[in-house]
Amino acid sequence: MVRQLLDRFFINPFVASIILLLVGGLFYVFYTQVDLTPQITSSFFFSPDSKIYKDDALIYKKFIVGDSVVLSLPAPDIKDPNYLKRITALTKAIEKAPGVLDVQSVTQGPPNVDAALTHPMWTRFLDSGSGKNSLIVCFIDLKKVGTTVSAIKKIIQSQTFRDHPIYISGIPYIIEEIRQMLMRDMKQFIMGAIVISTALLLLIFMSLFVAIGAIVAALTAAALSLVVQSQLGVPIGILTANLGAIVYVLTVSHVVFLTSNWRQDSHQDKRKRLASTLVTTLPASFWAATTTVFGFVSLIFVEAKPLQQLGVGGSIGALAALLMAYLLFPLFLRFSKLGKSKKEARSFWLPLPLMVGVPLALCLLGGAGAMAWLGADDINTDPSLLTYFKKDQEIYKGILQLDRFGGSNPLNFVVSDPSGKNLTNQENYKKMQALQEDVEGHPAVGAVLSLPVLMEETQENWLARLLPWGSLMSILSRDRFGKVARGFITEDQEQGLFMLRMKESGRSVDRHKIINQLMAKPRKHGLRLDTVGGSYYMQSRLAQKIRKSMKTGIAALLLLFVVIILLLSVSIPITLYAGLSIVGVTAAFLGCVGYFEVPVDIISSPSINVVLGLAVDGMIHIILAARRLSAAKGFRTDKEGWVAAIRSQGPPVFISGLVIGAGFSVFYLSNFPPSQRFGLEIVFGTFLAIMMTLFVLPHLAMLFRKAKS
């Protein structure tokens, strides 16, 4: 009955016309309503309803803290007239750039150059006490980051000379550069996936209809997933920027199994052959897509906005890939002139003789366990900010330069008196002064700005020495003085802000350990720690969330996949062997990542979830084929069913892995190292999945030779 319905469905011209019209409408909606611009801000790490995000936002609400782009200009002598002339010209030019609110440099802000080099606040803010480098700090409007950063870069390019480099950094600049790289990657990845997968399909199947059908189905699936994601209010983010390429490759994987089973079907009539192929392949594809969906769904429960967005988008994409592979691709497959390929199955060289295959399977599992023992505990989920960029990129050089002269990554914390007293009295000033000196002495800390530094700066003026500190803070909080005090103390004068610039280069300790050391210092000096924020802190918390997700998320996925395989195989031994194979993929993958010190950042961390879903896909196709063929052909033992299954589904498992690996290899074209790592880790994981699916699972399963009654 099902075969007859499918037969009539795909040969009906009216139905085909409706499908194609719907596809046309989908692409119209895609091009007119989907914004493909990555939406990345300095607060993209966490969702607005998370406590971490709220704490950081609270600091910006209580204190006047500006976001800045920072220029670093090294010089043998800062007092050199030519150098100062250059600083002045740059300062004036940047001040006129759109979106720039204020500019501070050694020639604009301090009373004079000597003050910039000797006064307590200015030397920390613009010089860091080195005397060999000065900063130009540009406070910008975050609503115009793209335009402002572009304008500043053009000014820098026009005034940069070989012997006088200008380095640029700052969180808004870094975020904008990441956004630009992701936009370039979106175009490169989808084009690369189309070219590589199409070339492979043409080379393997030698059919133009298969290649065209794969392109149409995969592009439609990618467009559908992005349209649905957009309608749900999920923007293109730092991870979902790659969603189109991911969905494209997942769709082509379904296409490979459909095409391979089409070639092996025995029906002479194409309509019956197509219906038979769909009925045969769909159950395994459905469950394979289900495991992929679960892999993405597991990311939704991580308290990190980029991972949540990928979880939603990836789940939609996995379902769209299945839908388009079975709704659109058959319209092209039935016109294909591919002949039956029983020879392909008979000539496939697996499975190996058990006396060879079983020891090989045990060796592969043993090797996976050894790699896990060597490297799994050394996985670095808190890499330096420098690992996000290549060493020859200007953004890397800018971060490194700023790191050397005062630190590059902001960390803010708010303190108060435990008894609720104002901070402007002599006793609390001494406490904060001691805290300032203690924090500045930490090796991971660069420059520190705080209320004691501002108070010390005011003492350079003889009149300010005569005023009570509370009155002085009130005066400095007025518009006339740029509300400078409001950057360090609240309006009620009960809370003070310490702004730290943390060093990223040479860090060998996780950020959260450094932060814990720093956060213990306020209590040590008789103060209370109220709030912590800044990108350094948020990256630390993000690293902890990633590590927790990799532990609990992977364990949950493994358990879920084992349950699914038990339901499909109805066999405890087969479930055990499949479980060992999945664990083998996980152990080898994580072990290699840790042993070879591959940074696990927010972008590359979901690769293990994708790899596990792909690993289970092939196993499901082979397990269901073994059951189906055993029942259809009346084999006397399960071993015969497994031999037939591996020869039937082994080629598409291998080809699918090849296409997936080749598709994700386009990520290597990126200029953004995290995207490169994400793609290449999936390529490596796909190789592991093929090894475990074709060499471990079937050879162990053939040991289970239950006789048929």
Side-chain angles (χ1 to χ4, degrees):
M1 180 66 178
V2 174
R3 293 173 190 252
Q4 292 176 348
L5 289 174
L6 290 172
D7 185 12
R8 294 178 181 177
F9 183 82
F10 285 106
I11 66 169
N12 191 317
F14 177 75
V15 172
S17 300
I18 293 297
I19 292 174
L20 294 176
L21 282 174
L22 289 175
V23 169
L26 173 67
F27 276 101
Y28 174 78
V29 174
F30 172 74
Y31 282 114
T32 57
Q33 296 190 19
V34 177
D35 183 6
L36 294 177
T37 305
Q39 304 297 314
I40 305 172
T41 64
S42 57
S43 59
F44 72 87
F45 296 111
F46 295 96
S47 57
D49 58 347
S50 68
K51 184 180 184 303
I52 300 169
Y53 179 93
K54 290 178 180 177
D55 286 347
D56 187 67
L58 185 63
I59 294 176
Y60 279 79
K61 184 177 181 180
K62 288 186 174 182
F63 301 90
I64 300 177
V65 183
D67 290 279
S68 59
V69 174
V70 183
L71 276 59
S72 178
L73 289 84
D77 182 10
I78 291 180
K79 293 184 178 181
D80 184 299
N82 292 327
Y83 179 81
L84 294 177
K85 183 178 179 181
R86 188 178 178 218
I87 293 290
T88 301
L90 265 173
T91 302
K92 297 299 182 183
I94 293 173
E95 199 171 30
K96 297 176 183 177
V100 174
L101 304 176
D102 188 25
V103 183
Q104 301 285 328
S105 68
V106 293
T107 62
Q108 180 166 302
N112 50 57
V113 176
D114 288 331
L117 299 179
T118 59
H119 285 199
M121 187 173 75
W122 290 115
T123 188
R124 288 177 173 88
F125 188 52
L126 298 174
D127 171 58
S128 300
S130 66
K132 301 293 183 182
N133 184 83
S134 76
L135 305 179
I136 298 178
V137 182
C138 319
F139 296 96
I140 67 172
D141 184 353
L142 291 182
K143 296 178 181 179
K144 302 177 181 179
V145 172
T147 304
T148 305
V149 169
S150 178
I152 292 175
K153 287 171 66 177
K154 288 180 180 178
I155 294 170
I156 291 174
Q157 290 170 2
S158 67
Q159 301 199 33
T160 298
F161 306 99
R162 180 179 299 177
D163 298 330
H164 302 282
I166 301 175
Y167 301 96
I168 181 170
S169 190
I171 296 300
Y173 167 73
I174 293 171
I175 296 298
E176 177 61 19
E177 286 297 290
I178 291 175
R179 190 180 70 84
Q180 292 292 337
M181 284 189 278
L182 289 176
M183 288 184 67
R184 290 192 294 268
D185 287 349
M186 288 175 67
K187 300 174 184 177
Q188 288 183 340
F189 291 170
I190 195 68
M191 290 303 300
I194 292 172
V195 171
I196 292 176
S197 61
T198 302
L200 283 174
L201 290 175
L202 284 171
L203 181 64
I204 294 169
F205 295 118
M206 303 295 290
S207 171
L208 187 60
F209 278 103
V210 168
I212 294 174
I215 293 172
V216 173
L219 283 178
T220 306
L224 177 61
S225 60
L226 291 171
V227 167
V228 174
Q229 177 183 269
S230 175
Q231 294 300 312
L232 291 176
V234 180
I236 299 294
I238 195 169
L239 284 174
T240 50
N242 301 325
L243 184 62
I246 293 172
V247 175
Y248 190 96
V249 174
L250 292 177
T251 309
V252 174
S253 176
H254 290 302
V255 165
V256 169
F257 281 98
L258 279 168
T259 307
S260 183
N261 287 341
W262 161 273
R263 295 178 70 183
Q264 296 180 41
D265 194 89
S266 59
H267 289 88
Q268 297 294 329
D269 184 270
K270 281 193 174 183
R271 291 177 298 179
K272 294 181 179 179
R273 190 175 172 190
L274 179 61
S276 175
T277 299
L278 293 173
V279 170
T280 299
T281 315
L282 180 58
S285 292
F286 170 79
W287 285 106
T290 300
T291 59
T292 304
V293 168
F294 281 130
F296 283 113
V297 166
S298 65
L299 299 173
I300 297 176
F301 302 100
V302 183
E303 193 184 355
K305 188 165 68 171
L307 293 176
Q308 292 173 346
Q309 290 176 341
L310 181 62
V312 173
S315 302
I316 296 169
L319 294 174
L322 177 69
L323 178 63
M324 292 302 122
Y326 280 83
L327 187 64
L328 271 181
F329 180 68
L331 297 176
F332 296 85
L333 182 60
R334 75 187 189 94
F335 291 108
S336 169
K337 295 182 179 180
L338 285 174
K340 292 184 293 182
S341 184
K342 294 289 184 180
K343 182 180 178 181
E344 177 187 270
R346 289 196 300 268
S347 63
F348 193 61
W349 52 281
L350 289 175
L352 299 170
L354 287 184
M355 61 183 301
V356 177
V358 173
L360 177 60
L362 295 176
C363 285
L364 288 172
L365 289 175
M371 283 309 307
W373 180 74
L374 287 171
D377 289 337
D378 298 325
I379 292 177
N380 179 17
T381 59
D382 189 23
S384 166
L385 189 62
L386 291 166
T387 64
Y388 280 69
F389 310 101
K390 296 180 179 180
K391 291 184 178 181
D392 60 346
Q393 291 177 326
E394 291 301 318
I395 188 170
Y396 181 97
K397 296 175 183 178
I399 295 172
L400 187 60
Q401 177 73 6
L402 192 61
D403 219 50
R404 291 170 177 166
F405 297 97
S408 60
N409 208 348
L411 172 65
N412 305 317
F413 62 86
V414 179
V415 299
S416 63
D417 184 283
S419 61
K421 296 179 181 178
N422 285 359
L423 294 176
T424 52
N425 59 61
Q426 182 71 26
E427 180 185 0
N428 279 329
Y429 172 78
K430 290 181 178 180
K431 291 178 182 179
M432 288 189 292
Q433 180 64 39
L435 177 59
Q436 167 81 24
E437 294 173 358
D438 195 2
V439 169
E440 277 188 319
H442 195 286
V445 177
V448 180
L449 291 175
S450 66
L451 184 60
V453 174
L454 176 63
M455 297 290 285
E456 190 178 351
E457 180 71 27
T458 62
Q459 300 310 297
E460 299 291 333
N461 184 295
W462 67 271
L463 182 60
R465 299 175 197 165
L466 304 177
L467 295 173
W469 286 348
S471 301
L472 183 58
M473 289 300 101
S474 297
I475 292 172
L476 292 178
S477 296
R478 297 174 183 171
D479 291 337
R480 180 182 175 185
F481 295 96
K483 297 183 178 180
V484 62
R486 290 285 287 108
F488 301 98
I489 193 168
T490 53
E491 195 169 357
D492 59 12
Q493 300 185 353
E494 291 184 357
Q495 290 183 307
L497 177 65
F498 280 70
M499 293 186 287
L500 288 63
R501 279 167 41 200
M502 306 298 294
K503 299 176 182 178
E504 284 289 342
S505 57
R507 177 172 59 84
S508 58
V509 181
D510 286 348
R511 288 187 184 94
H512 81 273
K513 293 181 180 179
I514 295 173
I515 291 173
N516 287 341
Q517 294 168 3
L518 293 172
M519 296 307 99
K521 294 183 182 297
R523 177 178 290 184
K524 173 184 172 183
H525 296 284
L527 296 168
R528 180 176 60 203
L529 177 67
D530 293 334
T531 314
V532 186
S535 60
Y536 191 88
Y537 173 70
M538 298 183 83
Q539 288 163 25
S540 168
R541 293 302 304 270
L542 186 65
Q544 291 176 283
K545 299 294 181 184
I546 290 173
R547 180 171 287 274
K548 181 179 178 182
S549 168
M550 291 185 72
K551 290 181 179 179
T552 59
I554 291 173
L557 281 179
L558 291 175
L559 179 60
L560 180 63
F561 292 163
V562 166
V563 170
I564 290 175
I565 289 173
L566 177 61
L567 293 174
L568 297 178
S569 67
V570 199
S571 169
I572 293 177
I574 299 302
T575 302
L576 174 63
Y577 302 145
L580 286 173
S581 301
I582 301 170
V583 170
V585 173
T586 308
F589 183 91
L590 297 178
C592 288
V593 168
Y595 182 77
F596 292 105
E597 299 180 349
V598 179
V600 179
D601 49 66
I602 181 64
I603 294 176
S604 63
S605 62
S607 60
I608 181 61
N609 298 67
V610 178
V611 165
L612 288 179
L614 296 175
V616 177
D617 289 359
M619 295 180 193
I620 288 175
H621 278 278
I622 291 179
I623 289 171
L624 290 184
R627 290 192 63 192
R628 185 182 71 249
L629 293 171
S630 292
K633 299 191 176 182
F635 293 130
R636 292 190 305 162
T637 66
D638 283 345
K639 177 184 176 182
E640 294 173 285
W642 274 92
V643 170
I646 198 68
R647 288 180 177 170
S648 167
Q649 297 303 298
V653 166
F654 178 79
I655 295 170
S656 175
L658 183 65
V659 170
I660 290 171
F664 279 102
S665 69
V666 301
F667 282 60
Y668 185 72
L669 300 174
S670 174
N671 283 322
F672 191 36
S675 292
Q676 287 183 317
R677 290 192 286 268
F678 176 75
L680 295 181
E681 284 173 12
I682 293 180
V683 172
F684 174 64
T686 302
F687 167 76
L688 293 176
I690 291 174
M691 297 294 289
M692 294 296 170
T693 302
L694 296 182
F695 290 96
V696 175
L697 173 60
H699 292 111
L700 293 181
M702 283 190 294
L703 291 173
F704 182 60
R705 308 183 189 185
K706 185 176 71 173
K708 302 290 184 180
S709 58

